[in-house]
Each structure stands twice: as C-alpha cells, then as structure tokens.
Amino acid sequence: MLTTPSASQYLLDWYHPQARAALLAFLQLIPNYHYQDLLKVILCRAARSARLTTHFELDFPRAPQREPYYCHKHKRICPPTTDAMKFLRRYALDTLRRVGQFAATRTDAPVTILCADSRQAALPPFDMILTSPPYVGLIDYHEQHRYAYELLSLLPEPFASIGWHDSNLNDNEDREIGAACKGKSVAARRRYIEGIEGALGNVARQLRPGGRACIVAGDKYGLYEGLAERLGFREETVLQRTVNRRTGRRAGDFYESILIWRRP
Ligand SMILES: C[S@@+](CC[C@H](N)C(=O)[O-])C[C@H]1O[C@@H](n2cnc3c(N)ncnc32)[C@H](O)[C@@H]1O
C-alpha cells in the first residue's frame, strides 16, 4: 500500500473533497493489482466525469463549477457532482462489459501500439492507413485530458507509465499538430498542414502499393487540397458524414469529410 499522495493544485481546484478522496483511494490501490492499465482507464474515465464542471461543458470546461447551475443539457438546475464512487462503479462495470465483448471477437492477430509523434514514428510496412487527425486550432488534447496526467503522475515509478511499448506520461503538448492554443491564423493553418503533411508523408512511405488511406478531415479552409498528389496518392472519393452532438454542447451538427486515397 502506498502512502496517500498529496493532490496537486489542479486536483484541489477541480474536485470536491469527497470525490478527490475516492479517486486518490482508487489510485493508491492500483499497484496491488495485475491489470493496472485497465484500472487506470477506469480511474481516468471516472475522473473525467467527476470534475467540478457543468454537464454541458465536459469537453472544454472553463472554470470549476462549485454552485448549482442551470443545465442546458438536462433543462433544469443541476448541482455539481460531489461523488466519484458512482462513476468508479459505473465505469468498472462498463469496462468489464466491453472487455467481455472484445474477448468474444478478438483474434490472435498481433497488435502493436506505438506512442510516438506520427511525423517520426518508425513503422513496419502495412496495407492501410485509417486516421482521424486533429483539426486546425480546435482542441488542446493534453489540456482536455489534464485530469489523467495529474492523477497518474502521482503514482510512483514504475507504476506511473502505461504498459504499452514506448509510452510514458511526458507532456508532449508542443508537438500537438493543430492545437487550439496555436490558433487558426493563416500562419497557424500553414504550420498545421505542414504538420499533417509530415505525418502522412512519414506513414505513407511504409504503405504498400495499392494500399489505401482513409482520413477523417474537417477541412473548411481547403487545406488538404493537392495534398494527395503531393504525397503520391490518387484521390478515390470523398464521403460526407454528419457529426451529431456528443458529450458537450456544441453550436450544432457539422459535417466532416472522409478522404479516401489510393497509392498507385
Ligand atoms: C481527432 S483526434 C483522434 C484520436 C483517435 N484517432 C480517436 O479517434 O479517438 C486527433 C489525435 O491526434 C493526436 N496528435 C496531435 N498531434 C500529434 C502528433 N504530432 N503525433 C501523433 N498524434 C498527434 C492528438 O493528441 C489526438 O489524440
């Protein structure tokens, strides 16, 4: 058993004391168990839901919500959550269910997860690229998952890192392509598409002839125009897909494109 880790300022600001205590208690138990990565996933899912945020701002909460508020999602007054136990229980059961479903369909095919900058990752030859790259200036991914960094980094080494190949909890924020904090200015858009070109160029080198790339893009600035040809692909088709609101409150539905490219 570990000694209770002391909470960072982020954890003090964004959690009710009761919720924080439950999350830290769960965290402390992780090193005692075999399936530590699975427990970290359950913990992080619960930590996301247990933040002091409104129900309609789970994606991009601006400031801790400590008082009851009018909830645009539920159309009534909602109090901010004080409890993390209900989420730990809910996600533990849900994760078990999902692991069961996956176990029924999984094969012996080998899977390797590389945690790397996609512009530099060293890849073996393969047949298909399926990717959902970041949009320009929309999301700060490290910031959006700050709760996970803050909690997991309290575990002592070697328990803090994730058990996948080459993975760690380093803050790679400056390597994020299209981060919201870098904006959508003309210069930011140029840097964005250079980053995407670097990433797709790196992976395309290992794509076998005849292989396809499926790229989910929200390209309202036309930044992907000409990219297929520059990278040695032939554009086959573009499918349109509606994105409905999910956890957060968004301005409304929007479209994204699925670009299908083929390597001659
Ligand atoms: C739209 S999300 C898609 C995530 C994932 N494919 C999915 O569907 O859940 C874009 C992802 O690209 C990641 N990303 C941004 N810059 C990157 C880079 N240089 N190398 C690798 N991944 C990067 C972000 O952290 C984010 O997780």
Side-chain angles (χ1 to χ4, degrees), residues 1-2 23 26-45 88 92 95 99 148 151-164 167 169:
M1 176 74 83
L2 304 166
L23 295 171
F26 191 96
L27 177 87
Q28 270 182 276
L29 295 175
I30 290 178
N32 300 342
Y33 287 86
H34 180 69
Y35 293 110
Q36 293 180 13
D37 287 348
L38 199 72
L39 295 175
K40 288 174 192 173
V41 170
I42 295 168
L43 175 69
C44 292
R45 291 182 71 193
L88 286 164
T95 304
V99 168
L151 272 172
L152 297 182
S153 64
L154 293 176
L155 284 170
E157 285 298 340
F159 303 109
S161 48
I162 311 286
W164 300 326
S167 74
L169 282 172

Coordinates of all heavy atoms in Angstrom, one line a residue, residues 1-2 23 26-45 88 92 95 99 148 151-164 167 169:
M1 N 0.9 -1.2 0.0 CA 0.0 0.0 0.0 C 0.9 1.2 0.0 O 1.8 1.3 0.7 CB -0.9 -0.1 1.2 CG -1.8 1.2 1.5 SD -3.2 1.2 0.3 CE -4.3 0.2 1.2
L2 N 0.5 2.2 -0.8 CA 1.3 3.4 -0.9 C 0.8 4.4 0.1 O -0.4 4.3 0.6 CB 1.1 4.1 -2.3 CG 1.5 3.2 -3.5 CD1 0.9 3.8 -4.8 CD2 3.0 3.1 -3.6
L23 N -11.1 9.1 -5.6 CA -10.2 8.9 -6.8 C -8.8 8.6 -6.3 O -8.1 7.7 -6.8 CB -10.1 10.2 -7.7 CG -11.4 10.5 -8.4 CD1 -11.3 11.9 -9.1 CD2 -11.8 9.5 -9.4
F26 N -8.7 5.0 -4.9 CA -8.6 4.0 -6.0 C -7.2 4.0 -6.6 O -6.6 2.9 -6.9 CB -9.6 4.5 -7.1 CG -9.9 3.4 -8.2 CD1 -11.0 2.6 -8.1 CD2 -9.1 3.3 -9.3 CE1 -11.2 1.6 -9.1 CE2 -9.3 2.4 -10.3 CZ -10.4 1.6 -10.2
L27 N -6.6 5.2 -6.8 CA -5.3 5.3 -7.4 C -4.3 4.5 -6.6 O -3.4 3.8 -7.1 CB -4.9 6.8 -7.5 CG -3.5 7.1 -8.0 CD1 -3.5 7.2 -9.5 CD2 -3.0 8.4 -7.4
Q28 N -4.4 4.7 -5.3 CA -3.4 4.0 -4.4 C -3.4 2.5 -4.5 O -2.4 1.9 -4.2 CB -3.8 4.4 -2.9 CG -3.2 5.6 -2.4 CD -3.6 5.7 -1.0 OE1 -4.7 6.3 -0.7 NE2 -2.8 5.3 0.0
L29 N -4.6 2.0 -4.8 CA -4.8 0.5 -4.9 C -4.2 -0.1 -6.1 O -3.9 -1.3 -6.2 CB -6.2 0.1 -4.7 CG -6.9 0.5 -3.4 CD1 -8.4 0.2 -3.4 CD2 -6.2 -0.2 -2.2
I30 N -4.0 0.7 -7.2 CA -3.6 0.2 -8.5 C -2.4 -0.7 -8.5 O -2.4 -1.8 -9.0 CB -3.5 1.3 -9.5 CG1 -4.9 1.9 -9.8 CG2 -2.9 0.8 -10.8 CD1 -5.0 3.0 -10.8
P31 N -1.3 -0.3 -7.8 CA -0.1 -1.1 -7.8 C -0.3 -2.5 -7.2 O 0.6 -3.4 -7.5 CB 0.9 -0.3 -7.0 CG 0.5 1.1 -7.1 CD -1.0 1.1 -7.1
N32 N -1.4 -2.7 -6.5 CA -1.6 -4.0 -5.9 C -2.2 -5.0 -6.9 O -2.3 -6.2 -6.6 CB -2.6 -4.0 -4.7 CG -2.1 -3.0 -3.6 OD1 -0.9 -2.7 -3.6 ND2 -3.0 -2.6 -2.8
Y33 N -2.6 -4.6 -8.0 CA -3.3 -5.4 -9.0 C -2.6 -5.8 -10.2 O -1.6 -5.1 -10.6 CB -4.7 -4.7 -9.3 CG -5.6 -4.8 -8.1 CD1 -5.6 -3.8 -7.2 CD2 -6.5 -5.9 -8.0 CE1 -6.4 -3.9 -6.1 CE2 -7.3 -5.9 -6.9 CZ -7.3 -4.9 -5.9 OH -8.1 -5.0 -4.8
H34 N -3.0 -6.8 -10.9 CA -2.4 -7.3 -12.1 C -2.7 -6.4 -13.3 O -1.8 -6.0 -14.0 CB -2.8 -8.7 -12.3 CG -2.2 -9.4 -13.5 ND1 -0.8 -9.6 -13.6 CD2 -2.7 -9.7 -14.7 CE1 -0.5 -10.1 -14.8 NE2 -1.7 -10.2 -15.5
Y35 N -4.0 -6.1 -13.5 CA -4.4 -5.4 -14.7 C -4.4 -3.9 -14.5 O -5.4 -3.2 -14.4 CB -5.8 -5.9 -15.2 CG -5.8 -7.3 -15.7 CD1 -6.4 -8.3 -15.0 CD2 -5.1 -7.6 -16.9 CE1 -6.3 -9.6 -15.4 CE2 -5.0 -8.9 -17.3 CZ -5.6 -9.9 -16.6 OH -5.6 -11.2 -17.1
Q36 N -3.2 -3.4 -14.3 CA -3.0 -2.0 -13.9 C -3.5 -1.0 -14.9 O -4.1 0.0 -14.6 CB -1.6 -1.7 -13.5 CG -1.2 -2.5 -12.2 CD 0.2 -2.3 -11.8 OE1 0.9 -1.3 -12.2 NE2 0.7 -3.1 -10.9
D37 N -3.2 -1.3 -16.2 CA -3.6 -0.3 -17.2 C -5.1 -0.2 -17.3 O -5.7 0.9 -17.5 CB -3.1 -0.8 -18.6 CG -1.6 -0.5 -18.7 OD1 -1.1 0.2 -17.8 OD2 -1.0 -1.1 -19.6
L38 N -5.8 -1.3 -17.1 CA -7.3 -1.3 -17.2 C -7.8 -0.5 -16.0 O -8.8 0.3 -16.2 CB -7.8 -2.8 -17.1 CG -9.2 -3.0 -17.5 CD1 -9.3 -2.9 -19.0 CD2 -9.7 -4.4 -17.1
L39 N -7.2 -0.6 -14.8 CA -7.7 0.2 -13.7 C -7.4 1.6 -13.9 O -8.2 2.5 -13.5 CB -7.0 -0.3 -12.4 CG -7.4 -1.8 -12.0 CD1 -6.5 -2.3 -10.8 CD2 -8.8 -1.9 -11.7
K40 N -6.3 1.9 -14.6 CA -6.0 3.4 -14.9 C -7.1 3.9 -15.9 O -7.5 5.1 -15.7 CB -4.6 3.5 -15.5 CG -3.5 3.3 -14.5 CD -2.2 3.3 -15.2 CE -1.1 2.8 -14.3 NZ 0.2 2.6 -14.9
V41 N -7.5 3.1 -16.8 CA -8.6 3.6 -17.7 C -9.9 3.9 -16.9 O -10.5 4.9 -17.1 CB -8.8 2.5 -18.8 CG1 -10.1 2.9 -19.6 CG2 -7.6 2.4 -19.8
I42 N -10.2 3.0 -16.1 CA -11.4 3.1 -15.2 C -11.3 4.4 -14.4 O -12.2 5.3 -14.3 CB -11.7 1.9 -14.3 CG1 -12.0 0.7 -15.2 CG2 -12.8 2.2 -13.3 CD1 -12.0 -0.6 -14.5
L43 N -10.2 4.6 -13.8 CA -9.9 5.8 -12.9 C -10.0 7.0 -13.7 O -10.7 8.0 -13.3 CB -8.5 5.7 -12.3 CG -8.1 6.9 -11.5 CD1 -8.9 7.0 -10.2 CD2 -6.6 6.8 -11.2
C44 N -9.4 7.0 -14.9 CA -9.5 8.3 -15.7 C -10.8 8.6 -16.3 O -11.2 9.8 -16.4 CB -8.4 8.2 -16.9 SG -6.8 8.2 -16.2
R45 N -11.6 7.6 -16.6 CA -13.0 7.8 -17.1 C -13.8 8.4 -16.0 O -14.5 9.4 -16.1 CB -13.6 6.5 -17.6 CG -13.0 6.0 -18.9 CD -13.8 4.7 -19.3 NE -15.1 5.0 -19.8 CZ -16.0 4.0 -20.0 NH1 -15.7 2.7 -19.8 NH2 -17.2 4.3 -20.5
L88 N -16.8 5.5 -10.5 CA -15.9 4.4 -10.5 C -16.6 3.1 -10.7 O -16.2 2.2 -11.4 CB -15.1 4.4 -9.2 CG -14.0 5.5 -9.1 CD1 -13.6 5.7 -7.6 CD2 -12.8 5.2 -9.9
A92 N -16.3 0.8 -14.0 CA -15.7 -0.5 -13.7 C -16.6 -1.6 -14.4 O -16.2 -2.4 -15.1 CB -15.6 -0.8 -12.2
T95 N -16.5 -1.2 -18.2 CA -15.3 -1.6 -18.8 C -15.2 -3.1 -18.8 O -14.8 -3.8 -19.8 CB -14.1 -1.0 -18.0 OG1 -14.2 0.4 -18.0 CG2 -12.8 -1.4 -18.6
V99 N -14.7 -5.4 -22.1 CA -13.6 -6.3 -22.2 C -14.2 -7.7 -22.6 O -13.7 -8.4 -23.4 CB -12.8 -6.4 -20.9 CG1 -11.9 -7.6 -20.9 CG2 -12.0 -5.1 -20.7
A148 N -6.1 13.3 -16.2 CA -5.4 12.0 -16.3 C -3.9 12.1 -16.0 O -3.4 11.4 -15.2 CB -5.6 11.3 -17.7
L151 N -3.5 12.9 -12.2 CA -3.7 11.8 -11.3 C -2.6 10.7 -11.5 O -2.0 10.3 -10.5 CB -5.1 11.1 -11.6 CG -6.3 11.7 -10.8 CD1 -7.5 11.0 -11.4 CD2 -6.2 11.4 -9.3
L152 N -2.4 10.3 -12.7 CA -1.5 9.2 -12.9 C 0.0 9.5 -12.5 O 0.7 8.6 -12.1 CB -1.6 8.6 -14.4 CG -2.9 8.1 -14.8 CD1 -2.9 7.6 -16.2 CD2 -3.4 7.0 -13.8
S153 N 0.3 10.8 -12.7 CA 1.7 11.2 -12.3 C 1.9 11.1 -10.8 O 3.1 11.2 -10.4 CB 2.0 12.5 -12.9 OG 1.2 13.5 -12.3
L154 N 0.9 10.9 -10.0 CA 1.1 10.8 -8.6 C 1.5 9.3 -8.2 O 2.0 9.1 -7.1 CB -0.3 11.1 -7.8 CG -0.7 12.5 -7.9 CD1 -2.1 12.6 -7.2 CD2 0.3 13.4 -7.2
L155 N 1.4 8.4 -9.2 CA 1.8 7.1 -8.9 C 3.4 7.0 -8.9 O 4.0 7.7 -9.8 CB 1.3 6.1 -9.9 CG -0.2 5.7 -9.8 CD1 -0.6 4.9 -11.1 CD2 -0.4 4.8 -8.6
P156 N 4.0 6.3 -8.1 CA 5.5 6.3 -8.1 C 5.9 5.4 -9.3 O 5.2 4.5 -9.7 CB 5.9 5.6 -6.8 CG 4.6 4.8 -6.4 CD 3.5 5.5 -6.9
E157 N 7.1 5.7 -9.9 CA 7.7 4.8 -10.9 C 7.8 3.4 -10.3 O 8.2 3.3 -9.1 CB 9.0 5.3 -11.4 CG 8.9 6.6 -12.3 CD 8.2 6.3 -13.6 OE1 8.0 5.1 -14.0 OE2 7.7 7.2 -14.2
P158 N 7.6 2.3 -11.0 CA 7.3 2.3 -12.4 C 5.8 2.3 -12.7 O 5.4 2.0 -13.9 CB 7.9 0.9 -12.8 CG 7.7 0.1 -11.6 CD 7.8 1.0 -10.4
F159 N 5.0 2.5 -11.7 CA 3.6 2.4 -11.9 C 2.9 3.5 -12.7 O 1.8 3.4 -13.2 CB 2.8 2.2 -10.6 CG 3.4 1.1 -9.7 CD1 4.1 1.4 -8.6 CD2 3.2 -0.2 -10.1 CE1 4.6 0.4 -7.8 CE2 3.7 -1.2 -9.3 CZ 4.4 -0.9 -8.2
A160 N 3.6 4.6 -12.8 CA 3.0 5.8 -13.5 C 2.9 5.6 -15.0 O 2.0 6.1 -15.6 CB 3.9 7.0 -13.2
S161 N 3.8 4.9 -15.6 CA 3.8 4.8 -17.1 C 2.7 3.7 -17.5 O 2.4 2.8 -16.7 CB 5.1 4.5 -17.7 OG 5.7 3.5 -17.0
I162 N 2.3 3.8 -18.7 CA 1.3 2.9 -19.2 C 2.1 1.7 -19.8 O 3.2 1.9 -20.4 CB 0.5 3.5 -20.3 CG1 -0.1 4.9 -19.9 CG2 -0.7 2.6 -20.8 CD1 -1.2 4.9 -18.9
G163 N 1.6 0.5 -19.7 CA 2.3 -0.7 -20.0 C 2.5 -1.0 -21.5 O 2.8 -2.1 -21.9
W164 N 2.2 0.1 -22.4 CA 2.4 -0.2 -23.8 C 3.8 0.2 -24.2 O 4.5 1.0 -23.5 CB 1.5 0.7 -24.6 CG 0.0 0.5 -24.3 CD1 -0.5 -0.7 -24.0 CD2 -1.0 1.5 -24.3 NE1 -1.9 -0.5 -23.8 CE2 -2.2 0.8 -24.0 CE3 -1.0 2.8 -24.6 CZ2 -3.4 1.4 -24.0 CZ3 -2.2 3.5 -24.6 CH2 -3.4 2.8 -24.2
S167 N 5.6 4.0 -24.1 CA 4.7 5.1 -23.7 C 5.1 5.6 -22.4 O 5.7 5.0 -21.5 CB 3.3 4.5 -23.6 OG 3.2 3.7 -22.5
L169 N 4.2 9.3 -19.6 CA 3.3 10.4 -19.3 C 3.9 11.7 -19.6 O 3.6 12.7 -19.0 CB 2.7 10.3 -17.9 CG 1.6 9.3 -17.7 CD1 1.3 9.2 -16.2 CD2 0.4 9.7 -18.5

